[in-house]
């Protein structure tokens, strides 16, 4: 049995063409089904639905043989474990799906450039603490990080933070909440991650899937 960990939404939707290239079809819609383990048209392949931030953990600890998650999630997961090697995850492919970016945003009217120039200590709300810490350290900007898990846009609006570091796709959510994107930290896409022990025990079927996904990536452009 090959178990693939996915999260609902854009990553799930954009992984489907890659699975189709391998002749795999998920038989139930995760948006409609209450099941957390979804069957496919291949008896030896199943999909487990987990939170996006939990995908690397499920793969690392053997709850899934492989998974698809964003580069942002992988960076944060690796930081928790003291590096990618120690997390025990093999990362063979950038699938170039679910593309977005990690950016700094502030409320409209806040002079971010002037605050940075003056050397002000900024309060920054984010769930991407490793990414934010490294970015601001590289710029020599002193920050106090406030860990949040959702509704990031509220932090500057309530005065709790000067800025946020968050994923941005279209920018519409920022505009709707009167926030302005002021710095682009990095581009993000989703990667395939594989449990290293599973790769040894199930080498043939996992290698086959990796090769098929690799061949299908250009078709996503």
């Amino acid at each position: 049995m090959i178990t693939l960990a996915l999260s609902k939404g854009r990553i799930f939707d954009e992984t489907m063409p890659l699975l189709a290239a391998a002749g795999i079809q998920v038989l139930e819609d995760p948006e409609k089904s209450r099941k957390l383990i979804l069957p496919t048209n291949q008896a030896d392949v199943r999909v487990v639905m987990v939170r996006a931030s939990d995908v690397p953990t499920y793969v690392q600890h053997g709850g899934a043989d492989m998974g698809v998650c964003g580069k942002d999630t992988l960076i944060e997961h690796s930081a928790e474990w003291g590096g990618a090697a120690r997390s025990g995850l093999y990362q063979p492919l950038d699938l170039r799906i679910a593309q977005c970016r990690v950016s700094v945003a502030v409320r409209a009217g806040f002079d971010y450039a002037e605050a940075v120039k003056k050397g002000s200590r900024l309060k920054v709300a984010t769930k991407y603490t490793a990414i934010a810490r490294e970015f601001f350290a590289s710029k020599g900007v002193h920050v106090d990080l406030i860990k949040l898990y959702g509704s990031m846009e509220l932090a500057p609006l309530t005065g709790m933070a000067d800025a946020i570091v968050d994923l941005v796709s279209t920018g519409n959510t920022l505009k709707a909440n009167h926030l302005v994107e002021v710095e682009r930290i990095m581009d993000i896409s989703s990667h395939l991650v594989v449990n290293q022990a599973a790769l040894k025990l199930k080498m043939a079927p996992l290698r086959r899937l990796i090769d098929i996904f690799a061949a299908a990536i250009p078709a996503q452009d």
Side-chain angles (χ1 to χ4, degrees):
M1 177 66 70
I2 300 297
T3 301
L4 173 66
L6 295 176
S7 55
K8 286 184 180 181
R10 192 175 170 194
I11 287 180
F12 180 89
D13 294 341
E14 295 187 25
T15 301
M16 290 305 98
L18 297 174
L19 290 178
I24 300 170
Q25 293 182 341
V26 181
L27 300 180
E28 296 189 35
D29 183 348
E31 298 294 343
K32 298 177 182 178
S33 175
R34 291 181 177 271
K35 294 180 181 178
L36 298 178
I37 300 178
L38 304 181
T40 72
N41 63 332
Q42 296 191 16
D44 58 349
V45 179
R46 64 180 181 175
V47 171
V48 294
M49 303 304 303
V50 301
R51 288 175 62 97
S53 57
D54 288 338
V55 168
T57 303
Y58 270 83
V59 176
Q60 176 183 348
H61 292 284
D65 300 303
M66 59 197 326
V68 178
C69 61
K71 179 182 176 183
D72 52 309
T73 301
L74 286 172
I75 291 172
E76 295 296 321
H77 184 79
S78 294
E80 288 180 12
W81 285 85
R86 292 188 63 188
S87 71
L89 295 175
Y90 175 49
Q91 303 174 32
L93 295 173
D94 177 354
L95 299 174
R96 298 196 304 212
I97 60 174
Q99 296 182 345
C100 53
R101 59 193 180 274
V102 177
S103 292
V104 182
V106 300
R107 66 184 182 278
F110 179 80
D111 195 337
Y112 173 79
E114 182 64 18
V116 170
K117 184 179 178 182
K118 284 183 175 180
S120 301
R121 191 174 190 91
L122 301 177
K123 290 185 293 183
V124 179
T126 185
K127 70 175 178 178
Y128 303 109
T129 53
I131 292 173
R133 185 177 294 110
E134 170 133 2
F135 173 72
F136 287 112
S138 71
K139 292 171 62 70
V141 177
H142 298 290
V143 297
D144 293 320
L145 297 179
I146 302 169
K147 183 72 175 276
L148 289 179
Y149 293 93
S151 301
M152 218 67 63
E153 296 81 10
L154 273 176
L157 301 180
T158 59
M160 188 173 77
D162 301 306
I164 63 172
V165 169
D166 202 10
L167 290 182
V168 178
S169 183
T170 63
N172 290 336
T173 301
L174 294 179
K175 292 176 184 176
N177 288 283
H178 309 292
L179 300 181
V180 180
E181 185 177 358
V182 289
E183 286 205 86
R184 186 188 194 117
I185 296 178
M186 66 174 63
D187 291 326
I188 296 294
S189 56
S190 289
H191 290 233
L192 183 68
V193 291
V194 183
N195 178 280
Q196 291 183 347
L199 191 59
K200 295 177 182 178
L201 296 171
K202 307 175 183 180
M203 180 174 287
L206 289 179
R207 280 291 180 189
R208 173 181 169 272
L209 284 177
I210 292 170
D211 291 343
I212 291 173
F213 287 172
I217 289 172
Q220 305 297 307
D221 292 340

